[in-house]
Amino acid sequence: MGRTGLRAPADSTASATQQPVRDLGRGKGVDRYDKRFCSHTEITRFYSPGFDPVVFEVDGFRFGCAICIEINFPDLFAQYGELGVDCLLFSAYPADEVFEVKARAHASINTYWVAMALPSQTAHLMNSGVIGPDGRYLAQVDGGEGVVYADLNRPDFAMWFEKARPWRKDAVAGEIYRSRAVNDPRSTDRTCI
């Protein structure tokens, strides 16, 4: 996962949080994710926001990036699902145990892995880990410090990738429901029993 850095916006001495994306084979930067949703204090006193998702591919897997408070914006996580991300790289300083619940829910609802990089100081709330598309941990750091590894193996999650993800896409598009609409008095008059 990329390190979080700071950038000064053109109009002030404030900075924006970032996740650099590096080409590990060449060691060069290929893109950078700038945090799109900042806290009130961040946006009014310190940082300038980013505006675009970042998606990159490594060995046939598509990755996206999110940072900290963005866990509270389901549309951001849904957007990465729509962009076909296989794994979301998420770095944060969790403020409470609900961060973990949200991360697991986002992984399951959007049918992708969530790889979380968290500081060891927050181990009493949650540890760094990799959550599968089913919302369960595949691997987790034990005790707050360390490196976590997990195999991103699509066949292990065939039901999620081959059935759940396409069905949810169809459900959101709505045609599967419109094609089954019933046109009778009881359906059009919702006050009748």
Side-chain angles (χ1 to χ4, degrees):
M1 297 183 72
R3 289 179 51 198
T4 300
L6 300 174
R7 164 180 67 82
D11 61 348
S12 76
T13 58
S15 301
T17 58
Q18 305 169 343
Q19 279 183 330
V21 178
R22 304 196 68 66
D23 179 339
L24 299 178
R26 295 185 198 100
K28 296 175 13 180
V30 294
D31 206 338
R32 184 189 67 234
Y33 177 71
D34 295 331
K35 185 176 180 181
R36 296 185 278 165
F37 291 95
C38 300
S39 72
H40 176 75
T41 300
E42 289 172 331
I43 198 66
T44 58
R45 297 185 60 199
F46 302 112
Y47 305 137
S48 63
F51 296 95
D52 300 309
V54 167
V55 176
F56 59 97
E57 193 166 318
V58 177
D59 294 335
F61 286 91
R62 292 173 57 84
F63 293 87
C65 300
I67 301 174
C68 205
I69 196 171
E70 292 179 326
I71 193 90
N72 297 303
F73 297 91
D75 290 350
L76 182 144
F77 285 78
Q79 180 183 34
Y80 278 117
E82 292 164 7
L83 292 171
V85 162
D86 297 302
C87 182
L88 186 75
L89 305 177
F90 177 66
S91 58
Y93 193 100
D96 55 40
E97 300 88 356
V98 178
F99 259 69
E100 180 177 22
V101 174
K102 291 175 185 177
R104 293 176 72 177
H106 287 314
S108 180
I109 290 167
N110 296 296
T111 318
Y112 50 58
W113 288 277
V114 173
M116 298 184 302
L118 312 170
S120 60
Q121 296 93 329
T122 63
H124 64 288
L125 298 172
M126 59 192 286
N127 288 304
S128 296
V130 179
I131 301 169
D134 60 354
R136 296 185 181 116
Y137 278 96
L138 295 176
Q140 196 172 17
V141 170
D142 185 24
E145 291 187 26
V147 177
V148 64
Y149 296 93
D151 289 328
L152 305 184
N153 190 5
R154 285 188 190 101
D156 290 348
F157 295 95
M159 187 193 72
W160 284 267
F161 286 114
E162 296 170 14
K163 294 186 168 92
R165 184 183 263 188
W167 177 83
R168 288 176 181 158
K169 184 178 180 182
D170 289 345
V172 168
E175 184 54 36
I176 62 175
Y177 299 109
R178 285 189 294 278
S179 67
R180 289 164 178 80
V182 178
N183 187 10
D184 62 20
R186 185 169 179 227
S187 297
T188 56
D189 180 4
R190 297 187 334 197
T191 63
C192 71
I193 297 177

